[in-house]
Amino acid sequence: MYQIANQYIISKKADLQRISGFSVFQKSETVTAAPLLTIEAEFPMLSWDTPPLHSFSLDNDEAICDFACAGDTYLFRMIPPQSAPFLMEITPQSEGFAARTNMNNQTPAYLLRFACWIAFGIAALHRRTVAIHASAITYRGKSALFLGESGVGKSTHTRLWLQHIPDAALLNDDSPFIQATEGNISVHGSPWSGKTSCFKNENTPVAAIVRLSQAPRNEITRLRGIRALGALLPSCPPVFAAHSPLADLIHEILAVVLQQIPVYHLCCLPDAQAAQLVLSTLEKDSCLC
């Protein structure tokens, strides 16, 4: 059994230990709580002809992926070059979800990793928990999340915190999870951390969310209302936004987040002053109290 973002995962015939990072989230003690997600590998499956809601290429064309929905079942398919499709069906069951797949322990680990992210991401939305494309830095017991398009410099900015701000630490560099309850917005580490091997089974309250843009100067602005939503929404999984019920769950979570957490836009250079500017702003706005 594994615990991610306070939720439990059980695997059947799927060796998640061979995926980098998962061992950190394994629970050795007995847990009585019902799992959010059960992943069952080596399941005999037939392909489907349901029209996809969203199609995309996984990293450097390592696989063509599509996402569909049939009734209450979510359908996810990955087709690597010169390979038969890998399929996963994600269905509600009891208090959680079951993800059945024809993948096995010879399936490339990067494909199993991504399929697990899809399955967990869908299930977690039903527990007010959403994956966010961000780099998360912890400082004084809280975390700041840095958002932006791929290549904008999220990892560069958080590296500046690590180099120039004592006691700053990286929580996750690609896909932490935000959990939103009334009065408590927390961010959780996950086994999905991009190219940075930062796998921490830890969580902290969220201090602030900062969207980055490259610029010839360092300048930070507080965003409110629709501008704050516009800064945050693009960093939620676009694959889920293609399905209205999942999109509604994302919007509900973000509405709670935006009621409690300040959102900023940072125009910045890749220098230490940019990190110091964010820190001083969060201190001035009492975000780190």
Side-chain angles (χ1 to χ4, degrees):
M1 180 177 283
Y2 301 83
Q3 183 184 29
I4 302 170
N6 291 333
Q7 309 300 332
Y8 294 104
I9 298 176
I10 289 178
S11 62
K12 296 181 179 180
K13 299 183 180 179
D15 182 13
L16 303 187
Q17 290 287 85
R18 67 191 183 93
I19 302 176
S20 298
F22 261 84
S23 60
V24 176
F25 296 83
Q26 188 171 25
K27 301 291 290 186
S28 56
E29 65 269 24
T30 301
V31 176
T32 58
L36 172 65
L37 178 66
T38 300
I39 299 172
E40 184 173 357
E42 300 181 24
F43 197 85
M45 302 183 71
L46 298 175
S47 193
W48 52 81
D49 57 7
T50 305
L53 297 169
H54 185 74
S55 299
F56 58 98
S57 176
L58 177 61
D59 298 334
N60 302 317
D61 296 325
E62 291 175 336
I64 302 301
C65 306
D66 61 56
F67 175 73
C69 189
D72 62 356
T73 298
Y74 301 98
L75 310 172
F76 182 61
R77 174 167 47 205
M78 298 180 292
I79 309 174
Q82 301 178 336
S83 172
F86 293 108
L87 310 173
M88 178 175 276
E89 296 181 356
I90 304 148
T91 308
Q93 68 165 19
S94 184
E95 300 177 34
F97 285 80
R100 300 182 178 92
T101 178
N102 64 346
M103 288 184 281
N104 57 42
N105 291 326
Q106 281 68 54
T107 302
Y110 73 91
L111 293 175
L112 180 59
R113 171 197 293 276
F114 190 70
C116 289
W117 180 82
I118 290 286
F120 182 76
I122 289 171
L125 284 176
H126 294 78
R127 301 276 180 91
R128 282 199 166 186
T129 303
V130 62
I132 189 85
H133 184 210
S135 190
I137 279 284
T138 62
Y139 181 74
R140 294 184 189 171
K142 291 188 175 183
S143 292
L145 277 70
F146 295 95
L147 319 180
E149 302 302 322
S150 295
V152 77
K154 297 184 294 297
S155 297
T156 297
H157 186 80
T158 51
R159 189 159 52 247
L160 291 169
W161 278 67
L162 300 177
Q163 292 171 347
H164 300 286
I165 298 177
D167 301 323
L170 186 65
L171 176 64
N172 185 279
D173 199 35
D174 186 66
S175 186
F177 282 76
I178 291 179
Q179 191 169 69
T181 59
E182 298 297 336
N184 182 32
I185 309 297
S186 55
V187 58
H188 298 251
S190 82
W192 301 281
S193 192
K195 297 176 181 177
T196 303
S197 297
C198 183
F199 308 113
K200 295 181 179 179
N201 193 1
E202 301 174 5
N203 67 88
T204 74
V206 177
I209 297 169
V210 183
R211 190 160 194 91
L212 304 179
S213 295
Q214 296 177 355
R217 66 194 184 285
N218 294 318
E219 182 178 63
I220 191 167
T221 306
R222 176 106 181 240
L223 304 178
R224 302 181 189 276
I226 194 67
R227 294 183 66 202
L229 177 62
L232 186 49
L233 187 57
S235 294
C236 296
V239 61
F240 303 152
H243 183 53
S244 294
L246 293 181
D248 289 344
L249 291 174
I250 292 174
H251 297 156
E252 290 171 10
I253 294 169
L254 296 190
V256 176
V257 171
L258 292 173
Q259 288 172 2
Q260 302 178 49
I261 303 300
V263 179
Y264 299 86
H265 178 213
L266 176 69
C267 297
C268 62
L269 293 162
D271 59 18
Q273 287 71 30
Q276 293 290 350
L277 175 59
V278 176
L279 176 58
S280 63
T281 300
L282 300 190
E283 291 177 328
K284 176 176 64 69
D285 291 351
S286 302
C287 300
L288 297 169
C289 296

